[in-house]
Amino acid sequence: MKARHATLPGLALLPALLVSSPICAEAANLSKAINDSTVNLHFRYRLEHVEQDNALKDALASTLRSRLTLATGKAYGFSGLLEVDNVSVLGGETFNSTVHGNSHYSVVADPKGTDINQAALKYQLSADTSFTLGRQRINHLNQRFLGGVGWRQNEQTFDGYRLQHAFTPTIKLDLARLHNVNRVFGPKGPAANQRGEFTTGLLSWQLSPTQQLAAYGYDLDFNDWAVRSSLTYGLDYQGKWALGEQQSLSLQLAAARQQDRHDAPLSYQHHYHRLQLSWQQHSLQVIAGTERLAGDGSSAFQTPLATLHAFQGFADLFLVTPNDGLRDQWLGLRHPAGPVQLALNYHRYRSDTDGRRYGSEWNLTASYRFSAQLQGLLKLADYQASSLAVDNRKVWLMLSYSI
């Protein structure tokens, strides 16, 4: 006689009920967020040498930046980002990092230490709208007014909240309210942070696949740096046209106005403009441009939150615009030499008020990609002084590796 097994009514439907239950749906969402998470490691070693024609000793900085980035997947519209940086000095501290007190050496602004570079929570309200809260990287356009200063080992990031919205696929808005700037001089030291109330806005319109128009505004109210409190607004246009087979012409045209704001100690109104033309045929690129930051002898147009190393030459002589203003004209060439990418630039600097010659500068970069993970860079800057600062020569050798 065969044994009979009792079956409860509806027992066969139990697996389907479990799968469709709210608890299992939540577990599935969390599981997907975990599976979609990524962990990345990036190492950047740099040897920087600075030689100036003054009483300071030549600087030699051997530093390694190690970066760990954890980005979670999305669950219920939320996702998280955590990025931790460590800057270590390999060898002696024969440079002025602006923190450790070696003021008898030339400056290499790469202080050692460990810092949280980014720590942010993002909520995707819809396909067109997102809200980000916390410490984050913000790069606007070419980073002339707002950027991360990614060249330095300790990056510039911002604490606050940010709203990004796409009205249409071609018209997008980026608004932020920030209360602290984590500067490249951190994580410790008197200049590591700049606190205040900062409102930034960028409205971009993709006119066509090769034409973009943008309007921007920056209201900066510094707590302890009132001389940089200001209101800046302007327009930026970028376009590209095909001239023939593998030949094109690109144009950037930007203009802005800046005035004193909040507790700024001086009253002023200054203007800015930038014009750059780029002609490319096959792998050869020729670039010519001019940029003006107006000054009146008492104050000048300033961009304190910009990625300044990308402008006015690699020697970084114009991180602060002289009170007489600045006019920069440049000519550049880009062309590969086999697998090595070469770029050469020449800058001529003059004052805005009377056209007095500040100096001139040559810049050279050579980059080579050993593999998808490893890249090398050699970079040179040679500034020849006329009436501003002293002759200045810098050399960098850098290796970047990603996992």
Side-chain angles (χ1 to χ4, degrees):
M1 186 173 179
K2 294 182 178 180
R4 301 181 64 181
H5 299 280
T7 303
L8 294 176
L11 185 63
L13 299 176
L14 184 58
L17 290 173
L18 287 173
V19 170
S20 62
S21 70
I23 295 176
C24 288
E26 291 182 9
N29 276 329
L30 292 175
S31 177
K32 185 177 185 306
I34 294 172
N35 291 333
D36 291 343
S37 298
T38 60
V39 179
N40 293 291
L41 283 172
H42 184 268
F43 302 95
R44 188 168 77 177
Y45 170 77
R46 184 156 66 212
L47 186 67
E48 180 171 346
H49 180 264
V50 181
E51 178 185 349
Q52 295 178 299
D53 288 348
N54 56 21
L56 295 175
K57 290 187 176 182
D58 295 350
L60 182 63
S62 175
T63 59
L64 173 67
R65 187 189 71 190
S66 305
R67 171 174 288 176
L68 172 65
T69 306
L70 170 62
T72 73
K74 193 183 300 182
Y76 303 103
F78 289 94
S79 60
L81 175 66
L82 177 64
E83 189 168 78
V84 180
D85 287 355
N86 171 265
V87 179
S88 299
V89 176
L90 307 181
E93 296 190 34
T94 54
F95 64 100
N96 180 6
S97 72
T98 73
V99 174
H100 54 43
N102 291 352
S103 57
H104 52 292
Y105 285 99
S106 293
V107 170
V108 177
D110 289 328
K112 65 181 180 181
T114 301
D115 194 19
I116 296 176
N117 195 51
Q118 296 191 87
L121 180 66
K122 183 175 182 179
Y123 179 56
Q124 195 75 38
L125 286 81
S126 67
D128 301 322
T129 307
S130 65
F131 180 83
T132 306
L133 175 66
R135 180 167 298 181
Q136 52 197 293
R137 177 186 298 113
I138 304 178
N139 292 325
H140 279 183
L141 300 172
N142 64 347
Q143 304 180 46
R144 189 63 185 93
F145 296 94
L146 187 68
V149 198
W151 171 249
R152 296 261 53 107
Q153 297 286 56
N154 187 36
E155 191 179 9
Q156 177 171 275
T157 54
F158 306 91
D159 297 340
Y161 55 88
R162 181 183 187 187
L163 176 67
Q164 295 170 280
H165 176 70
F167 296 101
T168 71
T170 59
I171 302 177
K172 298 179 180 181
L173 179 66
D174 187 337
L175 295 175
R177 181 71 170 178
L178 312 169
H179 63 267
N180 185 57
V181 183
N182 307 282
R183 306 187 72 213
V184 301
F185 308 104
K188 298 178 181 178
N193 297 277
Q194 284 293 345
R195 296 176 176 83
E197 295 294 335
F198 316 112
T199 302
T200 70
L202 175 66
L203 178 65
S204 59
W205 181 15
Q206 196 71 41
L207 304 171
S208 73
T210 59
Q211 315 284 320
Q212 177 183 278
L213 179 65
Y216 49 83
Y218 304 98
D219 187 348
L220 309 182
D221 182 9
F222 289 95
N223 288 352
D224 303 314
W225 204 16
V227 70
R228 293 291 175 263
S229 293
S230 63
L231 174 65
T232 304
Y233 51 90
L235 295 171
D236 183 283
Y237 168 79
Q238 298 182 50
K240 185 176 182 179
W241 299 268
L243 301 180
E245 186 177 353
Q246 295 188 346
Q247 186 178 160
S248 64
L249 180 68
S250 299
L251 167 70
Q252 185 198 5
L253 180 62
R257 180 180 178 182
Q258 186 177 90
Q259 64 189 58
D260 60 284
R261 188 76 165 172
H262 307 292
D263 295 326
L266 297 175
S267 297
Y268 62 86
Q269 289 186 358
H270 295 306
H271 295 274
Y272 164 87
H273 72 248
R274 177 184 177 91
L275 171 64
Q276 178 173 287
L277 287 169
S278 174
W279 174 79
Q280 184 162 356
Q281 184 171 26
H282 300 284
S283 56
L284 172 65
Q285 186 180 23
V286 180
I287 301 169
T290 181
E291 188 176 56
R292 177 200 178 201
L293 293 90
D296 59 12
S298 299
S299 63
F301 196 107
Q302 304 288 344
T303 58
L305 302 186
T307 298
L308 291 166
H309 182 75
F311 303 91
Q312 276 90 55
F314 299 152
D316 289 338
L317 268 296
F318 298 96
L319 299 180
V320 176
T321 310
N323 286 338
D324 285 332
L326 173 64
R327 291 178 181 261
D328 176 19
Q329 286 93 35
W330 65 90
L331 182 66
L333 296 173
R334 308 280 189 276
H335 195 274
V340 179
Q341 298 296 318
L342 294 176
L344 179 67
N345 289 286
Y346 173 75
H347 292 263
R348 186 177 66 178
Y349 309 113
R350 295 184 180 273
S351 67
D352 179 56
T353 54
D354 57 9
R356 185 176 74 262
R357 185 174 179 180
Y358 287 145
S360 61
E361 182 175 341
W362 287 96
N363 294 154
L364 172 68
T365 60
S367 62
Y368 178 75
R369 185 170 288 279
F370 297 93
S371 67
Q373 296 173 300
L374 179 63
Q375 184 175 5
L377 176 70
L378 173 67
K379 193 169 178 176
L380 308 172
D382 186 0
Y383 173 79
Q384 298 296 315
S386 294
S387 65
L388 183 86
V390 298
D391 292 354
N392 195 309
R393 288 161 294 280
K394 296 186 178 183
V395 182
W396 299 267
L397 178 63
M398 190 166 76
L399 291 172
S400 301
Y401 184 75
S402 299
I403 300 177

